[in-house]
Amino acid sequence: MCKRVYFYVICIPVLFTALLGCNSSNDLDFPINKSATSETNSLYKNLKTMQYHATMLGHQDDLAYGVNWQYEPGRSDIKDVTGDYPALVGWEIGQLELDNSVNLDSVPFAMMRQFIVEGYEMGMVNTISWHTFEPVTGFNSWVDKDSTKTVVAQIIPGGALHHEYNIMLSKVADFFLSLKTKNGTLIPVIFRPFHENNGDWFWWGQKHCTTEQYKILFQYTVDYLLQHDVNNVLFAYSPDRFFTTTEEYLERYPGDQYVDVIGFDDYQSLNQENGVELLGQKLEIVNTLAKERNKLSAFTETGVETMPDTTWFTEKLYKALKYSDISDDVSYVMLWRNDNITHFYSSFKGHSSAENLNAFFKKEDISFRKDLPELYK
Ligand code: BMA
């Protein structure tokens, strides 16, 4: 082949392909785990596209129980009201690390696994939180704000109980790797460890470890799971409401290599007089960061206990989402669990807020399960 033909026929196409391969926006459509399963990659990519068009509604423990019922196949408080399931369901694995067969809210892990499969097979998204029991005293996640207990320092590398933490993590890894369909496909989940870390109520909270120690804990947790071939997980970082600037939000952020979902929890802002504005501005901060860093953005926990405000869904939550063109660029908003008549954060059939949840359901840019595209291909 003469040199000129070689140049046009081989070099130019090769160079062109190489340049396309280096295209950063292509690379950035992948999660932090370069060995993620194809379903996990697809979930990440599809959610990223979707977050600029619609916001998914999520609900903690939705398929397992609601107000005045539990473990009724096919039932969901959200579905009882709207006729459709939420697009995303949250699960909680606290107590798995103790080898208990039920979580701290008494949900059997065997049933949780089944619900996660069901949710996946219905095209929904599953997310998992971890109210971790600590190995120092064996006590649960909550501590007195003045506690001088220093769990984080003791479980990170170099700490006296680091080995114990590895054992806890191995149980979490096993659980994630047990989330499979009948034909063996691993089910992608969004894992949200050590949340609300800028509050002082959990042992990993602001007052109970240094910024550096918290970051090491989060990073070590991600690294451990990746090194143990947990390739069906996306990682979410979600501090609580205590930020009004990007710098404040990023104070304990573990770094872009450790986070797929930039999120936050907030139960309080919407109760303030200027709540829509307050929450709208937080959503703007988080959504802008997610966009700049090519991540997913999420409002990872919210709701009001016993939902006394009967128009909360359209007049507070929806208005905050619609505060600006930026505030609604959020992948999902997840309502906390409906445990019983005095501890529920969403709505249910017969409750005075149900009609308003239905009005929220009808909004074009809010997605429930039936609105979802195929997320895993
Ligand atoms: C809290 C409450 C608790 C529950 C915990 C973990 O916000 O709902 O009752 O044990 O979450 O799910």
Side-chain angles (χ1 to χ4, degrees):
M1 198 186 290
C2 80
K3 268 190 185 154
R4 183 174 299 178
V5 173
Y6 174 80
F7 182 74
Y8 285 116
V9 176
I10 312 274
C11 286
I12 289 196
V14 166
L15 265 174
F16 189 65
T17 319
L19 277 176
L20 272 183
C22 295
N23 180 329
S24 55
S25 70
N26 266 1
D27 284 354
L28 293 169
D29 268 343
F30 289 95
I32 56 164
N33 178 3
K34 297 302 164 224
S35 305
T37 64
S38 81
E39 289 76 13
T40 311
N41 283 335
S42 297
L43 176 65
Y44 184 72
K45 193 168 179 218
N46 289 323
L47 291 185
K48 267 184 72 218
T49 309
M50 245 184 91
Q51 77 183 348
Y52 297 106
H53 307 291
T55 299
M56 303 188 293
L57 181 81
H59 188 208
Q60 180 76 0
D61 282 342
D62 186 80
L63 303 174
Y65 58 83
V67 175
N68 294 328
W69 64 273
Q70 58 177 4
Y71 312 129
E72 292 182 27
R75 193 160 176 195
S76 139
D77 271 353
I78 299 285
K79 180 165 157 262
D80 279 357
V81 173
T82 66
D84 196 4
Y85 292 102
L88 172 138
V89 195
W91 303 103
E92 164 57 44
I93 58 168
Q95 247 176 227
L96 182 81
E97 62 282 7
L98 304 183
D99 279 329
N100 277 23
S101 61
V102 299
N103 78 355
L104 73 164
D105 302 320
S106 307
V107 179
F109 288 110
M111 292 186 84
M112 190 186 298
R113 190 177 290 115
Q114 263 320 106
F115 287 129
I116 290 174
V117 176
E118 253 174 54
Y120 172 78
E121 285 175 345
M122 289 197 286
M124 299 154 81
V125 182
N126 289 289
T127 179
I128 292 182
S129 54
W130 187 22
H131 284 80
T132 322
F133 281 60
E134 45 86 355
V136 177
T137 60
F139 205 65
N140 66 23
S141 305
W142 288 269
V143 284
D144 188 86
K145 71 175 168 42
D146 300 321
S147 166
T148 52
K149 194 155 74 168
T150 53
V151 180
V152 178
Q154 297 189 62
I155 65 173
I156 57 179
L161 293 175
H162 182 57
H163 176 68
E164 278 68 13
Y165 185 54
N166 281 339
I167 296 173
M168 291 160 65
L169 279 178
S170 72
K171 292 172 192 171
V172 173
D174 288 348
F175 182 75
F176 288 149
L177 293 174
S178 76
L179 303 175
K180 285 183 181 163
T181 61
K182 271 203 193 81
N183 65 15
T185 305
L186 275 172
I187 297 172
V189 295
I190 300 172
F191 184 38
R192 191 167 62 92
F194 305 120
H195 62 303
E196 300 176 3
N197 60 316
N198 53 356
D200 51 21
W201 47 90
F202 294 140
W203 53 254
W204 55 87
Q206 188 96 30
K207 282 198 182 152
H208 315 294
C209 58
T210 67
T211 298
E212 207 40 42
Q213 286 165 346
Y214 177 81
K215 286 186 185 175
I216 291 171
L217 176 67
F218 196 101
Q219 293 165 350
Y220 182 80
T221 303
V222 173
D223 284 338
Y224 181 98
L225 294 173
L226 298 190
Q227 279 157 19
H228 288 75
D229 297 327
V230 178
N231 294 327
N232 55 328
V233 169
L234 299 173
F235 294 91
Y237 174 70
S238 74
D240 209 90
R241 63 194 183 280
F242 309 110
F243 63 94
T244 48
T245 63
T246 306
E247 293 65 38
E248 281 167 358
Y249 178 88
L250 289 175
E251 203 189 316
R252 293 195 168 205
Y253 182 71
D256 287 346
Q257 326 77 289
Y258 294 94
V259 175
D260 293 306
V261 181
I262 294 190
F264 69 110
D265 291 3
D266 187 343
Y267 290 87
Q268 283 81 6
S269 291
L270 285 178
N271 300 335
Q272 316 287 309
E273 211 169 301
N274 58 340
V276 165
E277 190 183 347
L278 274 178
L279 182 63
Q281 287 168 355
K282 290 190 202 306
L283 284 163
E284 284 185 332
I285 290 174
V286 166
N287 297 348
T288 303
L289 261 175
K291 193 171 192 177
E292 283 168 6
R293 291 163 187 240
N294 240 292
K295 306 279 181 194
L296 279 166
S297 145
F299 188 12
T300 41
E301 272 186 46
T302 190
V304 189
E305 193 170 39
T306 71
M307 200 48 80
D309 179 349
T310 56
T311 58
W312 186 83
F313 296 98
T314 60
E315 301 312 299
K316 299 258 173 88
L317 179 60
Y318 188 71
K319 286 196 170 149
L321 290 169
K322 293 278 134 194
Y323 175 69
S324 72
D325 280 352
I326 301 168
S327 58
D328 70 351
D329 291 342
V330 61
S331 177
Y332 58 90
V333 43
M334 189 178 81
L335 307 167
W336 197 241
R337 67 199 194 106
N338 278 11
D339 185 26
N340 59 51
I341 197 69
T342 57
H343 189 66
F344 65 92
Y345 290 81
S346 166
S347 189
F348 61 91
K349 200 173 178 183
H351 187 259
S352 51
S353 62
E355 197 182 317
N356 191 251
L357 173 59
N358 230 339
F360 181 77
F361 167 73
K362 292 191 177 118
K363 302 280 185 194
E364 290 267 296
D365 45 6
I366 300 295
S367 296
F368 283 60
R369 185 196 62 121
K370 285 181 195 149
D371 305 313
L372 294 176
E374 166 61 79
L375 292 174
Y376 298 102
K377 275 191 191 133

